[in-house]
Amino acid sequence: MPASHQPRREQLYEAFILHHRPYRDTSRILEVLTRDFGRMTLFARGARGAKSRLASILMPFQPLLVSWSGRGEAGQLTRAELGPAATEAALTRLPPAALMPAYYLNELLLRLTTRHDPLPVVFELYRAALQDLHDESQLLRALRLFEKRLLETLGYGVELDHDAAGAPLRAALCYRYDASNGFVVVDRSLDPQAIDGAVIAALAAEDLSNSGTLEAARLILRAALAPLLDGRELATRSVARAVARGSRG
């Protein structure tokens, strides 16, 4: 068989599962993030059921090594095993409070990346964010840093050093962020969402050590993400709000 017609075969590359869903009776369709090939769709035959060796391996948030074959858009999983880092409990078992934030990271990657676009920096950002989520006191900080760095890596980073007119941001002034234009000077007494220039500078330096900076980062980064999500709400945000309402009720 000519080499050009042979099925592509890849052997044991680093990967994380971002999403999976049932396929037929015993199989799954996987959306995986690989370090070397970007996001991919893989069919995992016989991966469901109590007797499947893969059932406990093909789970989100576990560092994996995977192999696949195939020529089309979706490959056929041929092998999967836990990666070397999976022997470290800190990488494999997220605390319950971190599960929803971790699924949020997965949803962002599914929405903001394209298949077969190798982004090793994004892979490493995701790996580092999962590690950070193990510290329950730093969940919000981990989310904001991932959002900021992901936007920067994809070419949509927020310009945190100057305003919409090109003037340097000043610590003594207040601003409102507009995704189309950037930071606009506002009067704090007239705008309840005004953000101090000093807080924006702290975000630029990734100093998210206080709740005020974290909240400002949330507002800025949510506004920056909105156009990229085409106005569609993330499912994890809806679920988080529903859980919060239930806990209050």
Side-chain angles (χ1 to χ4, degrees), residues 90-112:
L91 277 180
T92 57
R93 291 189 291 274
L94 287 170
L99 290 176
M100 187 61 67
Y103 279 114
Y104 172 72
L105 302 186
N106 287 9
E107 191 173 9
L108 274 183
L109 290 173
L110 288 168
R111 295 281 290 273
L112 298 183

Side-chain angles (χ1 to χ4, degrees), residues 100 236-249:
M100 187 61 67
T236 42
R237 287 180 181 168
S238 299
V239 172
R241 279 204 309 274
V243 170
R245 287 196 299 268
S247 64
R248 289 195 299 267

Side-chain angles (χ1 to χ4, degrees), residues 8-16 30 32 34 37 40-45 53-54 57-58 64-70 74-82:
R8 182 183 68 238
R9 294 186 181 276
E10 312 293 358
Q11 297 299 319
L12 291 178
Y13 286 96
E14 291 182 278
F16 285 96
L30 311 175
V32 302
T34 70
F37 297 88
M40 302 179 63
T41 301
L42 298 177
F43 289 92
R45 300 191 183 280
R53 182 188 67 83
L54 293 176
I57 294 176
L58 297 177
L64 303 175
L65 296 173
V66 299
S67 304
W68 66 91
S69 64
Q76 174 71 45
L77 184 76
T78 58
R79 182 178 174 186
E81 59 188 58
L82 294 176

